[in-house]
Amino acid sequence: MFKRLILACLLFCAPAFGQQPELIRTQLVTVALNLRETTLYYQTGEEVKEFTAGMNGLGDPFLYVGPRRFILHTSKDAFVPVKEGQKPPTPAAFVDLPQRAARILLVCVPLPDKSVRLIAYDIGRNSMKDGDYKIFNFSKSNLSMILGEKRFLVPSSKDVQVSDGPWGQEVLDLQCKIAIIGEDNKTLIPAYSVLWGHRPIRRNMIFIFDGVSERGGVQVRRFYDVILPDAAPEGT
């Protein structure tokens, strides 16, 4: 009986030894925010490729097959497996990708030391519908927004996703107004107002930054992602 118990324990524990990281398969969409061009590399499957981030909008989606931790290095050689006892090279940047996400937005943000920070968001169809808006507040201010008939708050360093029934069905003109919430949490300081043309096929990404003028305000960048019914990245 004792021998059977030991055998059962060994069989149960065996998969834990030498276990490889679980691989995921997803589409990555990239955007670079105020980032200087830097040559970086990533590995998908057995192939090491140059990493390109959309500098003037969202980049084209590409297939990624690999561990959940997405890693960037400054050279291809950094992906060569190290010998036992050797320390692996330090990544230029890394991020843990959302689990079970069919499509992921990778936001590349520069840090004060000129390195890169990666932020990953699930933008698959199960998480974001056609016509939706996802607002990313990279400014230092809490914001009050009006988008069409929707009124909502976007705290500093947070993101908010907004939906409305007609947005996924109709071509519209949407009024967008942004106000900075004052230190008293009551005063609203108008910072941005525009009329946007809306298309129901687009999934909209709105990035907000601090203004560069002496008067402050905000900078707004609007990009959009479209998932074509029969489109799939090369290699799928």
Side-chain angles (χ1 to χ4, degrees), residues 12-234:
F12 180 77
C13 296
F17 296 94
Q19 189 175 22
Q20 297 297 318
E22 182 181 355
L23 300 184
I24 66 172
R25 182 186 183 93
T26 187
Q27 293 180 14
L28 298 182
V29 180
T30 63
V31 64
L33 302 177
N34 301 324
L35 189 68
R36 299 176 63 180
E37 290 192 31
T38 305
T39 303
L40 297 170
Y41 300 91
Y42 72 100
Q43 183 169 356
T44 176
E46 299 297 325
E47 188 175 2
V48 176
K49 296 185 176 183
E50 184 173 343
F51 178 78
T52 56
M55 303 294 289
N56 300 307
L58 300 185
D60 292 332
F62 60 91
L63 176 68
Y64 170 72
V65 180
R68 184 180 170 217
R69 175 155 292 185
F70 180 81
I71 293 175
L72 294 178
H73 282 295
T74 55
S75 73
K76 291 185 176 182
D77 293 339
F79 288 96
V80 176
V82 297
K83 297 180 181 178
E84 186 176 353
Q86 290 184 337
K87 185 179 179 180
T90 302
F94 68 88
V95 66
D96 291 333
L97 302 177
Q99 294 180 313
R100 294 178 291 277
R103 196 176 183 95
I104 295 171
L105 174 65
L106 275 185
V107 180
C108 308
V109 183
L111 296 175
D113 62 359
K114 298 183 180 180
S115 62
V116 179
R117 178 190 177 195
L118 295 177
I119 313 172
Y121 300 92
D122 181 356
I123 58 168
R125 283 196 181 278
N126 292 335
S127 300
M128 189 174 187
K129 303 188 300 296
D130 290 349
D132 283 2
Y133 285 76
K134 196 170 185 69
I135 296 94
F136 306 85
N137 184 5
F138 285 94
S139 79
K140 297 177 183 177
S141 303
N142 296 323
L143 304 175
S144 173
M145 288 191 64
I146 298 175
L147 189 57
E149 300 296 324
K150 295 289 186 177
R151 297 172 179 264
F152 52 94
L153 302 179
V154 189
S156 176
S157 303
K158 300 293 183 180
D159 60 275
V160 173
Q161 188 167 313
V162 188
S163 299
D164 198 6
W167 294 354
Q169 304 171 8
E170 303 174 17
V171 175
L172 302 167
D173 288 328
L174 285 183
Q175 181 73 48
C176 174
K177 293 185 178 181
I178 302 175
I180 295 173
I181 301 174
E183 294 182 0
D184 59 2
N185 287 326
K186 296 180 181 179
T187 305
L188 295 180
I189 306 167
Y192 184 83
S193 180
V194 70
L195 189 67
W196 279 337
H198 171 86
R199 300 293 182 270
I201 194 174
R202 296 175 178 174
R203 293 131 41 84
N204 302 268
M205 317 290 173
I206 313 301
F207 298 92
I208 304 175
F209 306 89
D210 290 318
V212 295
S213 68
E214 294 181 356
R215 294 177 297 175
V218 295
Q219 300 179 70
V220 178
R221 298 183 188 177
R222 179 193 181 195
F223 305 132
Y224 59 84
D225 179 43
V226 176
I227 300 180
L228 300 176
D230 299 322
E234 184 180 351

